Amino acid sequence: MRAQLQDAAAAFADGPGTLDGILHGLVDDVDRALREPLEIFPVCHHSPASATAMARRLRAKQPRTVFLELCEDMAPLLTELRNCRLPVAVQAFATRIDGFPADWAPLSVVAPITEASAEYQAIAYALETPGVELVLVDRSSDHVFQWQPHEDTAPGDAPAEEEAALHGDAVGVELGDLRPRFAELEQHLLRHGKVRHWSEWWHQYVELPLGDADHDTYRQVMFLIGSLFRRLAPGELGRVRVDEDRERYMWTRIREHLAATGADPADCVFVCGAFHAASRVEEFGVDGSPTAFAISPRTATEWQYGLIPSSHTAIEAQFGLERGSVSIAASQWEKNLRRTRVQPYRLKGQAGAKASRARRSGAPAPVAQTDTADRLSGFLRRPPVLDRLDQEELLGWSVEVVRAARRNGYLASTADAIAVYETSVLLAGLRDRAKPTPYDFLDAAVTCLEKDRTPGRRDVRRVVEIMMGGDRIGQVGYESLPPLARDVHDRLAPLGLDLQARGVKRALLDIKSDPRLRACSDVLWMLRHLLPHGAARAIMGERKLGEQSVQESWDLALGTHQRALIELGYEGVSLEQVLEQRLRREAHAAHANTAVVLRTVEDATLYLGSRRLSDELGTRALEVLSTERSVDGAPEVLQRVRKLLAYYRTTEPVLPEWIERFAKAGYAHYCTLLPTAFTDETATVRQVAAMLGFLFSMESLALSLGSDRTQLELAIAQSHPQEPAKTALLWGAQVQTGRLTRQELRERCDELLGNPLLLPAYPHYLSGLLHALEPVPGLVDVVVEAVSNAFARLPDPVLLPWLPTLIATLRTSGPDLAPLLTREAGRIFPGWLGALDAWVPPWHAQAAAPARPSATGRGSVLVAAYPETCDALAAVLGCEGTWTVAGTVPAGSLLVGRYPETAHALAVVLGVE
């Protein structure tokens, strides 16, 4: 091989040079790896050829120690694989980080494991064979983040598909990451290989030929590929340094273990990626440089470990593989086992797998002696052989895809099956392939079966993927779940549902007839708060402050969202503990404002019922309020304070101390900010209205606690808004404080309508009056009158552009403002269409009505009819006098003369003519 490469270099490069050095370096790398006393077994990530060769080699050599390229801190979890259904991922998770930037949290590292992978064969062999030791030698999860640049480890966007999001935003750790890092090289291989993507190239030119290769040939080919990709990789300083540090790390750990145990390197095997097997670092090999590689200490980050479900789609999405490639690899693995009759290793008792009967005997099987004979030349020259089994398989695929297409609504026939078969063979021939691959068949099926439109939700590509095995999704068994997840399943046991299974389960809770379900309801509401949307979805029933449902209906998908439930177990041992920690963390976050902290108070009351935690978070809300200098969260603050205050007044004998202090401090705080907010262009009308709503609704409580109403009066007097909407809002506040009468407010609105220059701005004044209903709901009759006058008198060029603003205002504050306006309009306007023509607005009727009688007119009738009531009102209002002789005007008539409007209103209510 060395001589052939030297001749090739001379032919292509016209003599020795860079190419000659690269080609000779490839041979040197292969030779160096083959001469290593500790057998290096190069693999590729999730490669069935690697898995087949691994199983064959383990049964032949029966090593006593297996060194595996996997994070060394994940070793205790590997025994838990017995309780899982593959594929699953070993995960290291950290929420409390120390030594890394805060914006990295949470940290997550996953190592997915499938049955068609060499690492699983090594793990199963070591765990199922007595006397065999499994040693993980790769860097720890902590070092994964220590050695990664910030931009590479910052959380990214999770995949859009549900199955692709099983790993979340975790950093993936691959055993045998074997892909060209030189973009031009990859494009060259794809173009000359007549394939579309890297997964197809690997399947065609490496996977299939190596499926039947002997051990020595397999090792030499994998060493050669790893050396080629390594030597042609771009010289990125950070990436190269990380790769070399990983290799130094692994060989340092291997030498430390050999020195500590005295194991013979000839009785060991080192399973690592082919990229790292062709290493050129000085520490390479058991006889490498004696200078010990300095391994940096781990940070103080608290790491949690567990198993999470994985899937073929999740692996493909995380590691940039082509969709369907892992499923094709799984089917190729089954095919390799049938063809080679290799007995794979499987963990005893694992779901979906049979236990391996292999046990270590007293005398190990003879070990094939590894030599450095040239096996590459013959292998690379050997033409591919068309196996009859592949033709039969292709025929079966063609029939099955037509059957599957019919089930999905396609108008497919037997002729289409023949077309798919022939097109697959034709495409393989056009691409210089001796036999069609699954990718050729996929293209043929799409070409022959895809119509103008997809009749259902699945296109032909998806139908083919499902037919070839589909996306296999793993599951973590109950025994391997963290304590929190097991506790959730135990507490939800009264529901009688299989919550481990994937899919949506409907749970019906009749709490009134079965009080035990109240505890299940509490768990479900906490899960709804903690887990992603869809894991626990309430169909019927709600939980509000002071309210609890007697019947509930839930859609549960805990099996589908098993990863999220498992990650909750990394944060605590119970749901209550995790929820309390999250609420505290949310309340003490740097970006938390008063509204956010009040939301945590409400959640603590709703889901935990903890008065201690609520008081603690309420005190935190008071601290945050005192530091705020903006009014951005005023609407939400008002809404939540009102709800909490109403809840405490109906359930507690006395108000909590924190909410009393909050009302008093908030009153002074918003009084101080009010003048600035009226003139601040960034403060919206809704935010200023919420401030006024807080001041007016909390006024009585604040004044009872020692606040001074003069603060509010001075704040309103010092407010001088420039915007029309805020000006109208200020008018509403002045009416509430008595600085402006309702009649004066009506007159100002009439003046605006009568001024042609102000007509375009009139809708903005109306918007301010609408928002004024939040702090002053008693103005609803004036607002209805103003809106009615606007519709009656504004010209269309002004009225029509304003309608979207009106709708947007009502939509924003609809739950609060719409009922007030609707109720008042229903009281004023006629209830049937026939009365509309003769209807006169009340404000027009009042303007056209004659002056009301004085003390001797209509009001005096009221005085005479109800003397006791009149005397009581006179005493309250400060009118002195007594009743005189009958027939004369009573002294109580002073009340009528002083307050004619009140007397008139009472007369109307009491029906006095």
Side-chain angles (χ1 to χ4, degrees), residues 773-912:
L773 293 180
E774 175 71 41
V776 192
L779 285 178
V780 62
D781 58 332
V782 178
V783 174
V784 170
E785 176 183 341
V787 173
S788 301
N789 289 335
F791 278 93
R793 299 171 58 181
L794 284 179
D796 289 346
V798 177
L799 180 63
L800 295 180
W802 170 64
L803 292 180
T805 304
L806 174 63
I807 295 174
T809 302
L810 293 177
R811 177 177 296 179
T812 303
S813 305
D816 300 323
L817 302 184
L820 292 174
L821 294 172
T822 304
R823 185 167 54 251
E824 182 65 18
R827 188 185 67 84
I828 294 177
F829 293 96
W832 55 91
L833 186 61
L836 187 60
D837 294 336
W839 177 74
V840 178
W843 49 89
H844 290 173
Q846 293 174 5
R852 298 193 185 103
S854 60
T856 59
R858 182 178 179 182
S860 62
V861 180
L862 173 66
V863 175
Y866 301 94
E868 294 85 0
T869 303
C870 188
D871 277 341
L873 289 173
V876 171
L877 297 174
C879 297
E880 300 179 356
T882 58
W883 292 95
T884 58
V885 182
T888 61
V889 178
S893 62
L894 296 174
L895 173 66
V896 179
R898 185 173 300 178
Y899 302 98
E901 293 183 358
T902 304
H904 175 69
L906 287 173
V908 172
V909 172
L910 298 174
V912 178

Side-chain angles (χ1 to χ4, degrees), residues 79-88 113-115 120 128 346-355 472-480 500:
T79 57
E80 299 293 334
L81 292 174
R82 291 189 176 94
N83 304 316
C84 305
R85 182 174 69 243
L86 298 181
V88 296
I113 298 176
T114 63
E115 188 175 357
Y120 176 73
E128 292 296 312
R346 293 188 175 97
L347 292 173
K348 182 179 179 180
Q350 188 167 37
K354 296 180 180 179
R472 299 182 187 178
I473 302 175
Q475 184 184 61
V476 179
Y478 175 84
E479 295 79 6
S480 298
Q500 283 278 79

Side-chain angles (χ1 to χ4, degrees), residues 755-782:
N755 190 338
L757 297 178
L758 295 178
L759 278 182
Y762 187 75
H764 299 286
Y765 286 96
L766 283 182
S767 298
L769 289 178
L770 287 172
H771 283 98
L773 293 180
E774 175 71 41
V776 192
L779 285 178
V780 62
D781 58 332
V782 178

Side-chain angles (χ1 to χ4, degrees), residues 14 28 43 171 235 237 270 367 451 529 598 619 642 736 862:
D14 296 330
D28 293 338
V43 299
V171 173
L237 182 60
F270 175 30
V367 179
K451 310 302 180 183
H529 182 80
L598 288 177
T619 304
R642 280 178 173 174
Q736 179 69 13
L862 173 66

